[in-house]
Amino acid sequence: MSAFDVDLFVIGGGSGGVRAARVAASYGAKVMLAEEYRLGGTCVIRGCVPKKLMVYASRFPDEFADAAGYGWSVPQASFDWTTLIANKDREIARLEGLYRATLENAGVVIAKVRAVIEDAHTVRLATGERVRARFILVAVGAYPTLEPRIPGGEHGITSNEVFDLARQPERILVVGGGYIAVEFAGIFAGLGSAVTLLHRGDKLLRGFDDDVRVALAEAYAKRGVTLALQRTLSGLERRPDGALDAVLSDGETLIVDQVLVATGRRPNTAGLGLDKAGLAVDEVGAIPVDGYSRTLTPSVYAVGDVTNRANLTPIAIREGHAFADTVFGGKPTMVDHELIPTAVFSTPEIGVIGHTEAAARALCGEIDVYKAQFRALKATLSGRDERVLMKVIVEKATDKVVGVHIMGPSAGEMIQLVGIAVMMGATKADFDRTVAVHPTAAEELVTMRVPVPQTA
Ligand code: FAD
Ligand code: NDP
């Protein structure tokens, strides 16, 4: 008889954990998975998927407004928050059911409780049950912080709560300048809320190309988002009418209905018992792992946001899959974290792969930068005053395209496809000999011929 109850115990039923459990089971492993909240994890329940549904909702007013230039008279449109949230909830429940069915069909035993580590081979469930496992996979994800701690900070909400608000806030303050803050500022502005976006830096989206950061700020300002930059939140106070006084670091007070704090996420490692398996976490609470997602304890692996490598769903899924291939499939597999296409679902949308101009200058020596800023064809008749930005960065010595940055409609879809070419090591000459698809916005990627003149 085996000394273990299962071959694999997965803690966390999100993007990484579900993929790892299913693939390990397909290799014949006996697998158990614990999920303390809802199967599907952050992405499905309160992340990518409901967020994108809300992004779609927020873009209809653009279509209604743009229609007039094309001859359509659209009657006064109205929006019902309760309908959107109810329909979103129904879709999320359906997806959660699919995740459960996928796991059950693969033979994975699901425990709908919290699990913690008791030693390098033992997991304890909240029910008190102990399970001995040959391998433990930690895939517990991350949680949104309400930082910095300020007086009245408890009145703020995070991305966890924003999906379930009973009412659409008429006035909302969004704190942060990263993915989540930028996306929700866009969502609420599109839905008609008065939005202030408060960020401690001088530009949004640190780490993105400067041209994109500048263009997004301009686009948001045109769309009516009030940008409060180089300031922070000092305190929150509930008013008798239920609204909030939000006091900023320069003394200004804003009266708002909600404050969404999106100042980052931290790995879910508190109280997990990692120390009992001989493991320590880093300064942000993440579990250090090697390229195979191995921790320092041979029986314990970790994937996804809890490792704080690249906190994106497709990466968690790949890491989970690679873990199962490595440990149960006899195919040692590492995940490449070097070149990751990504999109920010702001409106206008952003799609990026590879180096920013500044990073390319530092890392690649001489570069050529090709840049186009233009009005999309659709905007000519609609009269929409918004420009598309495209930027291609080329390493001069090799002619390789080392970065592509797009801001405009469908930028996420475009970067997924151009990302394949960049992954394959495409050169600028390859881009140039690709025939344009006309008339599209994407054709600009293959028709830019003259690099931006370099300043000395
Ligand atoms: P998770 O999906 O968070 O899963 C971890 C699971 O573990 C959770 O279900 C949790 O309840 C459970 N758990 C935690 N502790 C325990 C325990 N002790 N016992 C049992 N269960 C436990 N990424 C993209 O690629 N594209 C996007 O558009 C995108 N949008 C996002 C929008 C928002 C608002 C947020 C917050 C995130 C978004 N992300 C997006 C990031 C993406 O959601 C995460 O990178 C991804 O979910 C990480 O997967 P994971 O498996 O590591 O963790
Ligand atoms: P990010 O790390 O992307 O952004 C956090 C923001 O908060 C930054 O602008 C940061 O400023 C600011 N901040 C941090 N600490 C403080 C503080 N103490 N006071 C004031 N401001 C502060 O985190 P998010 O929460 O936006 O998102 C978490 C992750 O989830 C993302 O990084 C991404 O990996 C993933 N995600 C992906 C999405 C997608 O793929 N479309 C969508 C949503 C999330 P500064 O820049 O100065 O550090």
Side-chain angles (χ1 to χ4, degrees), residues 4-52:
F4 300 115
D5 302 312
V6 294
D7 297 309
L8 172 64
F9 196 106
V10 179
I11 309 180
S15 307
V18 167
R19 175 59 68 93
R22 178 175 68 73
V23 177
S26 77
Y27 288 128
K30 190 174 175 194
V31 184
M32 191 164 178
L33 176 148
E35 169 53 56
E36 67 177 345
Y37 182 54
R38 292 178 68 181
L39 280 173
T42 303
C43 181
V44 174
I45 306 299
R46 45 196 181 184
C48 339
V49 177
K51 180 274 308 286
K52 189 81 186 279

Side-chain angles (χ1 to χ4, degrees), residues 12 90 111 140 168 185 209 247 326 433 443:
R90 195 169 330 111
V140 293
Q168 177 186 355
D209 189 87
V247 184
T326 302
R433 68 191 172 86
E443 68 181 300

